[in-house]
Amino acid sequence: MIVAFREKLARLIGRRPPDMQVAALCLNESTGEVLLVTSRGTRRWIVPKGWPMPGRSLADAARQEAWEEAGVKGRVDQTEIGRYRYDKDQDRGFAIPVEVRVFPLYVDKLERNFPEAHERTRRWFPPEDAARLVAETGLQQILHDLPFKRQSPPK
């Protein structure tokens, strides 16, 4: 009901393009598994994501988010593997549409100590299980489309 109201309102006042975030799809090359983390607020399963960063490529910003949210050290591919949309809840009680650009990150190491270690849980899942756990349908599709092993960028 709220979605329908929001869509009608958007038609009346004109659509605003969605804000953009970047995400790292953290992959284990030997098992094909995907690393998910819990969100800080709702504790639901997500991929590490955040806002673009000045002076960094979108992929490198996604790598930084993977470090901060999951303690991941690894190699990020500069080629986007997909996009999905979601509504990001704001402190003022409303949500804004966000388009997330997803970049594969091949995990070399998981650090025990990282900036958000005490705020999140991280866990490896097969892609099909990860797809069932995340809420965003576009992210579910990206996870379903993953081949068992992806070609990693050179070291």
Side-chain angles (χ1 to χ4, degrees):
M1 180 165 188
I2 291 174
V3 173
F5 172 75
R6 209 170 40 212
E7 287 179 7
K8 286 179 184 178
L9 183 61
R11 280 193 293 270
L12 286 173
I13 61 175
R15 290 199 181 269
R16 174 179 176 250
D19 285 334
M20 179 185 45
Q21 286 190 315
V22 295
L25 186 59
C26 302
L27 301 164
N28 180 321
E29 290 179 280
S30 62
T31 67
E33 290 183 312
V34 174
L35 186 72
L36 297 180
V37 298
T38 54
S39 67
R40 288 188 288 190
T42 62
R43 307 293 297 166
R44 63 188 179 84
W45 291 108
I46 62 170
V47 292
K49 66 181 177 303
W51 303 106
M53 300 174 187
R56 294 181 192 238
S57 70
L58 296 177
D60 288 335
R63 177 178 29 210
Q64 180 65 30
E65 292 296 335
W67 160 249
E68 292 174 10
E69 296 182 7
V72 170
K73 296 286 187 174
R75 296 158 282 125
V76 69
D77 192 319
Q78 297 291 319
T79 305
E80 176 184 312
I81 60 169
R83 297 178 184 189
Y84 68 93
R85 289 179 180 228
Y86 79 107
D87 289 332
K88 181 167 181 57
D89 291 330
Q90 300 295 291
D91 293 336
R92 294 182 221 114
F94 63 92
I96 59 169
V98 176
E99 181 177 73
V100 182
R101 297 180 185 201
V102 182
F103 297 88
L105 192 157
Y106 303 93
V107 178
D108 293 327
K109 185 175 183 181
L110 288 179
E111 296 288 346
R112 184 183 306 263
N113 296 314
F114 54 95
E116 298 180 16
H118 300 294
E119 301 174 77
R120 299 180 188 271
T121 300
R122 63 184 180 190
R123 189 175 304 152
W124 290 104
F125 295 97
E128 57 277 1
D129 292 349
R132 284 192 293 275
L133 293 169
V134 299
E136 300 82 6
T137 56
L139 180 55
Q140 291 169 354
Q141 189 61 53
I142 291 168
L143 290 163
H144 282 303
D145 291 345
L146 282 177
F148 175 71
K149 287 191 175 184
R150 298 188 72 80
Q151 183 72 19
S152 69
K155 288 188 176 188

